[in-house]
Amino acid sequence: MTKASFTGQPVSRLEGKQKVTGTAKYAAEYEVPDLLYGYVVCSTIAKGTITNIDIDKAMAVDGVVEILTHNNRTKLAWFDIQYADMDAPPGMVLKPLRDTTVHFFGQPVALVLANDYETARYASTLVKIDYESVHADTYLPDHTTKAREPKKGLATALKPPPPPPTGDFEAAFESAPVKASAVYTHGTEHHNPMELFATTTVYEGKGKLTIYDKTQGTINSQVFVANIFGLKFKDVKVLAPFVGGGFGAGLRPQYQLFLCVMASLHMKRNVRVVLERKQMFAFAHRPQSIQSLRFGTTEEGIMMAMNHSTVSETSQYEDYTETVSSWSHKLYPCPNTLFEYKLVPLDVPTPLDMRAPGGSTGMHAIECMMDELAYKLDMDPVALRLKNYAAADPSTGKRYTSKALKECYTKAAAHFGWDRRNPQPGSMTRGNKLVGYGMATGIWDAFQFPSRVAAMLTTEGKIEINNAVTDIGTGTYTIMTQIAADVFGLPMEDIIFNYGNSSYPFSMFQGGSSVTASTSSGIVVAANELKKKILKQIKQAGNTTFGKAKTEDVIFKDSRICLKEDESIYLSFADVIALNKGRAVKATGMGAPHAFKLRKFSKATHSAVFVEVEVDKELKTVTVTRAVSAVAAGRIINPKTARSQILGSMVWGISKALMEETVTDKKAAKYINTNLAEYHIPVHADINDLEVIFADEEDNLINELGVKGVGEIGLVAVPAAIANAIFHATGKRINDLPIHFDKLL
């Protein structure tokens, strides 16, 4: 008999054994015959022009087959098409080897192709390149006077600018009885997923390619390759069944895909290009940002005035935007607001979405500002947030489809022991440590994108689901199998979920905490279509078991299709296949956001994070000793994988607050810590007691299953909670991330 419900159960990852035993294959691990290995040669200047490339010594190395440069590259169909792919963010992906122009340090300028990787790498050191270099600007704080509005286009349409001002901010702030102002900064951060970016291209002949790519969207890569190289979409197949992390770095095609495909078409051979860790620092990153905030309240703590102005970096050749300055007004009502967001073009690669893009940046500043106000008001930080709690979205006046943030505050505070906090900074100690308590609120959008799903009742009585979605380590494969098992009334072992293949029906990239809502809705819609198809087949075969029953009158259960009102009236799946003359029954359905129904609502996930830190009295080193995160994200399909997502985000929040920083050498105009020895991320010894609580949040509006994503919401509040805890421990406000011990000395 089928279990009553798999959704809501803490099912372990179905592919977990493959990953931990090494049988799961990633983009650079597929065995392909007659393979050429490519090694990328990167520029050693940050801005200027290539005046000459000498490849003679490199070509003389035994085993080197070809070296591609701008002088001999394949002619392309669309080198400059701006929106050829479905990038996140949309824009013009830099395509290497286009011409002699160098836009940033580390830009790919040649590709060495050899019979093995080591030979290609060695030969790359013999490629001699002469440049005419000019001054490059890479450090945001030196160039804030150059800030300008983002250029209007598809990017700003999908990530709209901050809302227009309301009331009279300047007058309200000036007259506010209690006010606070501060500048918050954080430098460049890089994604650094465990799996290196890699592409293996299999040349099938006649313009056909099979591509194993490290990507968060197989169809994204497929559309990019087909458009840029002038190929038919159906002749380009992209596979990514296993992805070793992405965090946003794989949302748009990275340059190894472009170079690998170019080389394969040029040589008419199979090619593999794998980037080194240092080369991955020459693309996707979270941009440098400087935020200026001014908040004012009444004597009772009611918000009177809010100003949030952000300046962020972008590249010289493309505007990258984030939603940074708009979040406070989605949380806190205020009659007088002024929100601004500007860009400074620098000689760097275009930044890219990095887990909770804009949100983790903006919420750090907002929630630290709220904490500062709480101390000035002599008010509990939780009480200040509850005093300014909004059931509806203050920025639009629209009611949220669901919002259980109050429950997050209550549950997390009780579990953490917030009532034991002595509010006086520096008053709590433990041995030679100063102890600090801090908290912060989190908010993130509840996205959903269209997703087409193919469902099939196989001749063996199983259900096969096909969708192009990737699983970047979030548990998508597992939870979609759980959902399909419940929808079709089968045990999980009778569900075949195929994914990570651009040949399957459409799915957007995995990003923005959107996939669970998107793909699950597609499964539900496809299931209904399959029920219709099965009923039609039964009736066409002359079987009268269900009489005039409609789709809503039947259910799938225990490998049967039954009447809802009388489950003793049924046909087994085997009966259905027999009635269909031994053939499988197939159907497709498109799950899509309920745009019309939801036009009167706002959609978001919420969280409350409470943190304890210890600060060494002499050394000023900071340790996060424990943290509690309560999350309201609708229906939780799998509490085990969802908890893992939140835990991973909490770890990243600790890393963002205390460790992660890509250091720029202003004179050389390059990043100088392009490795995991000097780009610091947490190890096991850095992480202590982390707890996750899910609020009871029922959302009957947002989509078919009432689900929201949890990938980003676990991160956004953590850095601010840590910074606030450090203030409570030390009495020092440190507004620059990361917070290193030297800032507390």
Side-chain angles (χ1 to χ4, degrees):
M1 294 293 288
T2 303
K3 196 172 181 178
S5 178
F6 292 102
T7 53
Q9 300 300 318
V11 177
S12 296
R13 297 185 186 206
L14 300 180
E15 83 287 9
K17 184 176 180 180
Q18 291 172 270
K19 287 182 173 178
V20 299
T21 58
T23 57
K25 288 187 181 296
Y26 294 83
E29 297 182 323
Y30 288 89
E31 295 179 9
V32 176
D34 191 30
L35 189 63
L36 285 176
Y37 293 82
Y39 188 87
V40 180
V41 181
C42 298
S43 70
T44 55
I45 67 166
K47 187 175 185 178
T49 305
I50 299 170
T51 57
N52 184 60
I53 297 183
D54 184 349
I55 63 173
D56 291 347
K57 285 186 178 179
M59 283 297 299
V61 174
D62 186 34
V64 173
V65 177
E66 179 64 285
I67 299 176
L68 293 178
T69 71
H70 66 275
N71 292 317
N72 64 342
R73 62 166 173 80
T74 303
K75 184 179 179 182
L76 302 182
W78 296 102
F79 227 141
D80 297 313
I81 190 166
Q82 190 165 11
Y83 299 119
D85 49 15
M86 299 180 301
D87 290 338
M92 184 169 65
V93 177
L94 181 76
K95 303 164 190 73
L97 316 190
R98 176 187 174 191
D99 53 29
T100 60
T101 304
V102 175
H103 297 276
F104 54 86
F105 192 97
Q107 177 180 314
V109 292
L111 181 70
V112 179
L113 295 167
N115 291 323
D116 62 81
Y117 176 79
E118 289 77 13
T119 298
R121 181 170 58 178
Y122 168 68
S124 73
T125 65
L126 303 178
V127 177
K128 186 177 183 298
I129 305 177
D130 297 321
Y131 301 96
E132 184 177 311
S133 179
V134 297
H135 176 74
D137 297 324
T138 57
Y139 187 59
L140 180 65
D142 290 346
H143 302 285
T144 54
T145 57
K146 300 177 184 177
R148 58 162 173 79
E149 300 288 336
K151 296 173 184 175
K152 291 184 178 180
L154 184 56
T156 51
L158 295 178
K159 292 182 179 177
T166 61
D168 186 341
F169 166 77
E170 296 294 350
F173 182 74
E174 183 64 29
S175 64
V178 181
K179 50 187 136 186
S181 61
V183 175
Y184 301 85
T185 67
H186 76 69
T188 307
E189 299 169 1
H190 278 81
H191 301 67
N192 279 308
M194 185 180 295
E195 181 195 6
L196 299 172
F197 271 83
T199 301
T200 302
T201 301
V202 180
Y203 183 78
E204 310 279 9
K206 297 182 180 179
K208 294 185 177 181
L209 302 173
T210 298
I211 302 168
Y212 300 96
D213 190 37
K214 190 232 170 63
T215 178
Q216 289 175 240
T218 56
I219 289 180
N220 199 24
S221 293
Q222 176 199 37
V223 172
F224 173 82
V225 168
N227 278 337
I228 300 305
F229 293 96
L231 305 174
K232 296 177 181 177
F233 292 149
K234 65 182 179 64
D235 289 341
V236 178
K237 181 165 72 171
V238 179
L239 301 166
F242 298 101
V243 180
F247 315 122
L251 285 176
R252 65 167 28 177
Q254 296 298 354
Y255 65 72
Q256 93 290 337
L257 170 64
F258 176 86
L259 290 172
C260 188
V261 171
M262 175 187 279
S264 180
L265 292 171
H266 183 86
M267 302 298 298
K268 294 182 171 53
R269 285 185 61 179
N270 305 332
V271 176
R272 174 174 294 155
V273 177
V274 183
L275 300 185
E276 290 186 342
R277 178 66 57 181
K278 66 180 180 181
Q279 293 172 329
M280 287 166 53
F281 279 79
F283 53 72
H285 63 276
R286 196 190 302 278
Q288 307 169 68
S289 295
I290 301 172
Q291 303 173 76
S292 301
L293 277 72
R294 293 179 290 166
F295 283 14
T297 75
T298 66
E299 291 178 351
E300 294 75 31
I302 302 297
M303 298 302 300
M304 286 179 58
M306 291 194 302
N307 165 227
H308 189 159
S309 299
T310 303
V311 175
S312 290
E313 66 162 283
T314 189
S315 67
Q316 296 283 6
Y317 54 90
E318 179 185 1
D319 273 12
Y320 167 78
T321 64
E322 291 184 333
T323 301
V324 180
S325 301
S326 308
W327 295 101
S328 56
H329 209 199
K330 291 176 74 69
L331 275 174
Y332 307 118
C334 185
N336 303 286
T337 64
L338 175 61
F339 304 118
E340 299 172 301
Y341 176 80
K342 293 183 178 181
L343 296 176
V344 175
L346 297 175
D347 300 307
V348 297
T350 301
L352 184 55
D353 290 355
M354 184 171 177
R355 201 172 201 168
S360 65
T361 302
M363 290 307 298
H364 161 243
I366 293 162
E367 289 300 289
C368 286
M369 181 60 66
M370 292 295 288
D371 195 68
E372 186 168 346
L373 283 172
Y375 278 93
K376 289 192 172 188
L377 287 158
D378 194 22
M379 184 182 294
D380 185 289
V382 178
L384 176 62
R385 287 161 175 82
L386 290 173
K387 187 174 281 286
N388 290 279
Y389 191 86
D393 181 346
S395 65
T396 63
K398 296 179 179 180
R399 183 165 63 90
Y400 283 107
T401 58
S402 60
K403 183 180 179 182
L405 178 55
K406 278 186 180 178
E407 185 181 346
C408 291
Y409 287 139
T410 303
K411 282 191 170 184
H415 201 78
F416 179 82
W418 184 253
D419 58 348
R420 297 195 298 270
R421 165 182 171 269
N422 182 334
Q424 183 64 35
S427 62
M428 297 172 63
T429 60
R430 185 179 296 136
N432 71 326
K433 311 284 186 178
L434 296 168
V435 176
Y437 284 5
M439 61 82 54
T441 308
I443 183 172
W444 184 252
D445 289 306
F447 290 118
Q448 181 182 342
F449 298 121
S451 183
R452 182 173 290 279
V453 170
M456 177 172 67
L457 175 59
T458 71
T459 55
E460 292 78 28
K462 298 179 184 291
I463 292 291
E464 183 174 318
I465 302 290
N466 293 335
N467 181 255
V469 67
T470 53
D471 184 341
I472 60 174
T474 56
T476 300
Y477 171 41
T478 303
I479 63 175
M480 294 309 156
T481 303
Q482 289 176 259
I483 291 167
D486 278 354
V487 170
F488 289 103
L490 288 172
M492 288 179 64
E493 56 267 26
D494 285 348
I495 299 294
I496 304 163
F497 182 70
N498 297 316
Y499 65 103
N501 185 330
S502 66
S503 300
Y504 296 148
F506 175 83
S507 171
M508 288 286 275
F509 41 76
Q510 184 166 79
S513 301
S514 64
V515 157
T516 301
S518 304
T519 310
S520 66
S521 296
I523 289 174
V524 172
V525 174
N528 289 334
E529 291 300 317
L530 187 60
K531 288 178 184 178
K532 288 180 187 176
K533 192 79 172 285
I534 289 174
L535 273 176
K536 183 178 178 181
Q537 297 284 13
I538 290 170
K539 292 173 182 178
Q540 285 181 344
N543 189 290
T544 60
T545 300
F546 298 112
K548 296 181 179 180
K550 298 178 181 178
T551 310
E552 57 269 23
D553 301 324
V554 299
I555 57 172
F556 284 0
K557 187 176 181 181
D558 301 329
S559 298
R560 304 169 175 177
I561 179 170
C562 317
L563 265 184
K564 209 179 265 185
E565 292 185 352
D566 185 355
E567 293 181 15
S568 66
I569 299 175
Y570 69 88
L571 287 174
S572 69
F573 285 174
D575 295 332
V576 172
I577 294 298
L579 289 170
N580 200 37
K581 300 179 180 178
R583 297 170 300 188
V585 185
K586 304 176 183 178
T588 59
M590 174 72 86
H594 301 160
F596 183 77
K597 185 174 80 171
L598 296 178
R599 72 192 187 283
K600 295 181 180 179
F601 296 90
S602 282
K603 308 179 294 295
T605 53
H606 296 88
S607 68
V609 173
F610 291 76
V611 167
E612 178 189 87
V613 300
E614 288 183 347
V615 180
D616 188 282
K617 289 180 181 179
E618 287 81 30
L619 300 177
K620 304 304 182 186
T621 50
V622 180
T623 302
V624 176
T625 46
R626 59 192 183 94
V628 176
S629 179
V631 174
R635 183 182 181 189
I636 303 301
I637 300 297
N638 184 327
K640 189 172 188 177
T641 55
R643 178 177 178 273
S644 291
Q645 283 293 288
I646 302 300
L647 285 176
S649 288
M650 293 172 75
V651 170
W652 200 333
I654 295 170
S655 185
K656 180 177 174 65
L658 302 176
M659 301 177 188
E660 288 196 49
E661 181 181 26
T662 312
V663 180
T664 301
D665 182 321
K666 291 197 291 181
K667 188 174 181 180
K670 68 174 184 177
Y671 305 128
I672 59 174
N673 58 327
T674 54
N675 55 74
L676 291 182
E678 296 169 303
Y679 183 90
H680 295 158
I681 57 175
V683 296
H684 287 299
D686 297 310
I687 304 303
N688 294 291
D689 184 14
L690 304 182
E691 296 185 63
V692 178
I693 300 168
F694 290 108
D696 298 318
E697 185 177 67
E698 186 175 344
D699 195 324
N700 297 316
L701 293 168
I702 196 160
N703 51 47
E704 280 78 1
L705 293 175
V707 299
K708 303 175 183 177
V710 295
E712 265 96 354
I713 190 61
L715 168 61
V716 287
V718 177
I722 292 172
N724 293 338
I726 289 172
F727 171 76
H728 181 234
T730 66
K732 289 189 177 183
R733 288 272 176 208
I734 309 297
N735 295 336
D736 303 331
L737 295 185
I739 300 172
H740 291 154
F741 70 91
D742 58 306
K743 297 175 183 177
L744 295 168
L745 286 171

